[in-house]
Amino acid sequence: MSILEIALASQIWARRHDKRPQAFDEGDGLKILLRTAFTFVAFTLLIAGLNLAAGRPQVVAQHPAPVVAGR
């Protein structure tokens, strides 16, 4: 068989054995939201921990920025 015939046969075999994606369920939205929130919190804590380990914690607006103060 030529390479084209092998590729075509492979595509046909793959499509026959391909599973159909499941429909979107209402519970899936909540799972996605919870995973997103968990990931956001995890990365926030990771970055805060790395900043603390480096000895420079992030402090929000202790004093005005020089560019804003000069205007």
Side-chain angles (χ1 to χ4, degrees), residues 29-64:
L30 182 60
K31 286 181 187 177
I32 292 170
L33 183 63
L34 287 175
R35 287 180 184 173
T36 304
F38 176 77
T39 304
F40 178 77
V41 169
F43 277 111
T44 302
L45 291 174
L46 175 68
I47 291 171
L50 290 173
N51 282 331
L52 285 174
R56 51 185 176 145
Q58 297 271 333
V59 179
V60 179
Q62 273 187 343
H63 50 82

